[in-house]
């Protein structure tokens, strides 16, 4: 096997430059293989046609007022700030519910620098990786403690996604899962 085609371990995380299709690849994989997936995804929210931040959407049954809460807000041209209570309360709850859900897969789309100060959320992410669930996720390309910890785990395969290789990885992941 070549360096760009590593052995796939239990948990699979995608990384790469912004806007190369990492989240789209995971959505296609989940849809095409009909994977039963709990977990969470981040979704952009817009006001007056401009992206103003992201919400945290749980893929588990939970009250509407706890789901789709703003997890970060844009405060400058290239600057966003986290809404830490959403990570620490809603995000932790999403992950706890995901662990008790019957779904064998857990989506974590995406993890990166915003979670740095969300200790309970980071601990729950690691608990999910130590559980019987198989995690599919996206890691931002950044130097953050949680990202480094996940990338260094023996049970994690980290795939660098580019526009040139994403379709090949989708096919390989579809065959492997």
């Amino acid at each position: 096997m070549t360096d760009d085609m590593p052995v796939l371990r239990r948990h699979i995380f995608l990384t790469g430059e912004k806007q190369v299709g990492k989240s789209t690849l995971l959505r296609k994989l989940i849809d095409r293989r009909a994977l039963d997936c709990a977990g969470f995804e981040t979704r952009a929210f817009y006001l007056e046609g401009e992206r103003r931040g992201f919400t945290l959407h749980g893929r588990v049954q939970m009250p509407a007022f706890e789901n789709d809460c703003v997890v970060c807000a844009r405060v400058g041209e290239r600057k966003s700030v986290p809404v830490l209570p959403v990570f620490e309360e809603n995000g932790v709850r999403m992950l706890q519910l995901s662990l008790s859900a019957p779904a064998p897969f857990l989506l974590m789309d995406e993890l990166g620098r915003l979670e740095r100060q969300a200790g309970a959320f980071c601990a729950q992410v690691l608990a999910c990786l130590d559980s019987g669930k198989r995690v599919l996720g996206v890691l931002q390309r950044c130097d953050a403690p949680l990202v480094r910890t996940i990338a260094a785990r023996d049970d994690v395969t980290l795939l660098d996604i580019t526009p040139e290789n994403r379709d090949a990885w989708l096919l390989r992941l579809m065959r492997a899962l």
Side-chain angles (χ1 to χ4, degrees), residues 68-85:
D68 296 311
C69 293
V70 175
V71 75
C72 79
R74 194 178 78 195
V75 295
E77 186 176 336
R78 297 183 56 91
K79 184 176 181 190
S80 295
V81 295
V83 181
L84 291 175

Side-chain angles (χ1 to χ4, degrees), residues 84-104:
L84 291 175
V86 174
F87 281 113
E88 296 289 80
E89 296 169 28
N90 307 58
V92 168
R93 179 103 171 105
M94 284 174 192
L95 292 173
Q96 289 170 338
L97 290 170
S98 295
L99 284 177
S100 62

Side-chain angles (χ1 to χ4, degrees), residues 19-22 25 161-171:
Q19 302 296 308
V20 297
K22 302 175 296 289
L25 188 157
I161 303 302
T162 66
E164 295 78 25
N165 73 10
R166 68 178 172 227
D167 293 335
W169 271 117
L170 175 59
L171 293 174

Side-chain angles (χ1 to χ4, degrees), residues 95-114:
L95 292 173
Q96 289 170 338
L97 290 170
S98 295
L99 284 177
S100 62
F105 289 91
L106 218 157
L107 177 66
M108 294 186 187
D109 182 21
E110 71 184 61
L111 298 167
R113 53 181 77 77
L114 291 173

Side-chain angles (χ1 to χ4, degrees), residues 11 95-96 99 106 108 120-133 135 146 153:
H11 306 300
L95 292 173
Q96 289 170 338
L99 284 177
L106 218 157
M108 294 186 187
F121 179 79
C122 292
Q124 193 63 49
V125 166
L126 297 176
C128 289
L129 290 168
D130 290 334
S131 76
K133 305 281 183 176
V135 177
L146 182 61
R153 289 177 61 111

Side-chain angles (χ1 to χ4, degrees), residues 134-149:
R134 191 158 186 200
V135 177
L136 304 171
V138 172
L139 293 180
Q140 289 178 350
R141 187 174 278 167
C142 65
D143 185 27
L146 182 61
V147 170
R148 285 193 311 269
T149 298

